[in-house]
Amino acid sequence: MEPPTSSRLNSRKRRKDGSGPNGATELDGIPPKMSRRSLGLREPAPFSDEVEIDYSKPYIRVTYEEAMRGTPLDRPVRVYADGIFDLFHSGHARALMQAKNLFPNTYLIVGVCSDELTHNFKGFTVMNENERYDAVQHCRYVDEVVRNAPWTLTPEFLAEHRIDFVAHDDIPYSSAGSDDVYKHIKEAGMFAPTQRTEGISTSDIITRIVRDYDVYARRNLQRGYTAKELNVSFINEKKYHLQERVDKVKKRVKDVEEKSKEFVQKVEEKSIDLIQKWEEKSREFIGNFLEMFGPEGALVRSCSGKRGKG
């Protein structure tokens, strides 16, 4: 039986005002507190060719209802999720987290497509296949990694890895001459939808780098990369170096301006302080002068007394 798509999608949507770690909420399917066992991971997930499967037992899929009720510990629900996972980011991790939390007892198998398949069907990648395999291996939600995963899932592949459900976002994925490469999975009732994380994707990251190319090229030149390594022309290399020197001069000028402002401010504060002290001292001086030399001053009284005696 195919899981109800709309309700499953809504149950995994993230609220923007999430208060949990990394913006996670209860709707993400994460328990409020993780068990000590889940925090004690020490090794990366194994590759599928390193895992022994007992093929003596028949391959019998669990139904959606059985999976939701919870299966025995020795029979976890085997969920498969695949992708390119180039520049592995939080959107990838969240999708795998959702796949891992689809059922109470889930064993998550993740397929990563090779460079050859990806370049043929999707385009060039930033990371090579070994780097992408390694990145997925170190995601805490992954139990097993399939290298050189197929672009389209065949019955033979599903049976070989004893897959119960396939997890992916529900947006039709048109590729390899098909309007949706997961169509046959959906029709077989094996599809379990996950929710995409808005605002982050491999294409978004590449777009940021392309948009700010000059900034990153200048930064890496300053860090010791050569123009040849960055595929920067001789003219652009000189332009970047000139821009760097101009920026340094601007920074010095700005620093001098800030220091000048601080100096002027200190002089003003000192001047105000001196004026206040002068006013206080002047009042004291005038008071003392009047007390001595004023009409009723001590000096006048002293002189008057002397004249009386004469």
Side-chain angles (χ1 to χ4, degrees):
M1 177 180 177
E2 187 174 359
T5 301
S6 58
S7 61
R8 297 298 300 169
L9 277 173
N10 292 333
S11 68
R12 286 187 297 278
K13 285 188 177 179
R14 292 192 303 125
R15 288 181 293 189
K16 293 183 179 179
D17 58 346
S19 57
N22 297 323
T25 70
E26 293 180 358
L27 296 184
D28 279 320
I30 314 170
K33 291 185 179 180
M34 293 293 191
S35 64
R36 289 184 180 272
R37 183 180 64 176
S38 66
L39 295 175
L41 303 178
R42 293 291 182 270
E43 300 292 334
F47 292 119
S48 57
D49 52 12
E50 300 170 345
V51 179
E52 293 184 2
I53 298 179
D54 185 5
Y55 289 104
S56 63
K57 297 180 180 179
Y59 168 52
I60 302 175
R61 285 187 53 241
V62 297
T63 65
Y64 180 75
E65 289 79 8
E66 290 172 337
M68 287 303 296
R69 282 198 301 267
T71 55
L73 289 176
D74 61 345
R75 176 47 174 107
V77 181
R78 294 174 67 85
V79 175
Y80 179 81
D82 58 2
I84 310 302
F85 303 105
D86 194 18
L87 297 177
F88 192 88
H89 52 73
S90 61
H92 293 138
R94 282 192 170 279
L96 298 180
M97 176 186 69
Q98 292 175 52
K100 180 69 173 178
N101 285 280
L102 280 168
F103 307 106
N105 182 21
T106 302
Y107 183 87
L108 181 59
I109 306 166
V110 180
V112 184
C113 298
S114 66
D115 286 346
E116 183 181 0
L117 269 181
T118 306
H119 298 168
N120 285 339
F121 290 109
K122 191 169 183 178
F124 193 71
T125 56
V126 177
M127 300 167 66
N128 62 45
E129 58 188 34
N130 290 323
E131 292 169 332
R132 293 184 286 110
Y133 297 152
D134 191 58
V136 173
Q137 263 193 301
H138 288 82
C139 178
R140 65 181 300 170
Y141 310 111
V142 179
D143 296 301
E144 182 182 326
V145 176
V146 177
R147 291 178 285 195
N148 191 21
W151 200 260
T152 303
L153 302 178
T154 62
E156 292 76 20
F157 178 85
L158 297 172
E160 178 187 353
H161 294 278
R162 308 207 157 195
I163 295 166
D164 295 308
F165 295 95
V166 177
H168 199 274
D169 64 76
D170 203 23
I171 302 172
Y173 194 88
S174 59
S175 181
S178 172
D179 292 334
D180 187 358
V181 295
Y182 297 102
K183 182 180 179 181
H184 64 294
I185 301 295
K186 294 174 182 177
E187 291 173 347
M190 296 178 65
F191 190 77
T194 57
Q195 180 71 29
R196 290 179 66 90
T197 301
E198 298 300 329
I200 182 71
S201 69
T202 301
S203 298
D204 291 336
I205 295 172
I206 293 174
T207 299
R208 295 178 208 172
I209 296 172
V210 172
R211 181 190 60 202
D212 300 323
Y213 170 78
D214 286 356
V215 175
Y216 295 120
R218 286 171 56 188
R219 182 188 69 175
N220 282 6
L221 282 171
Q222 291 300 311
R223 291 184 174 183
Y225 287 87
T226 65
K228 184 177 180 181
E229 288 174 320
L230 297 172
N231 196 27
V232 171
S233 67
F234 176 80
I235 294 175
N236 280 338
E237 180 187 9
K238 299 304 176 186
K239 182 185 76 174
Y240 293 145
H241 284 309
L242 178 60
Q243 288 174 341
E244 196 67 31
R245 286 195 290 271
V246 169
D247 285 348
K248 286 181 178 178
V249 171
K250 287 181 178 178
K251 188 177 183 302
R252 290 197 193 101
V253 171
K254 187 176 180 180
D255 290 343
V256 170
E257 287 178 350
E258 289 177 355
K259 288 179 181 178
S260 300
K261 288 178 181 178
E262 289 177 4
F263 176 75
V264 171
Q265 187 176 359
K266 287 179 180 179
V267 169
E268 288 177 351
E269 290 173 356
K270 287 285 185 184
S271 301
I272 293 170
D273 187 47
L274 286 172
I275 291 170
Q276 288 175 345
K277 287 181 178 179
W278 183 83
E279 287 178 346
E280 291 172 2
K281 291 294 182 183
S282 65
R283 291 193 195 99
E284 184 181 347
F285 175 77
I286 293 170
N288 291 338
F289 181 85
L290 292 174
E291 187 178 345
M292 180 64 70
F293 299 102
E296 301 295 332
L299 184 60
V300 173
R301 291 196 301 271
S302 175
C303 291
S304 300
K306 286 181 181 179
R307 285 199 296 273
K309 287 181 181 178

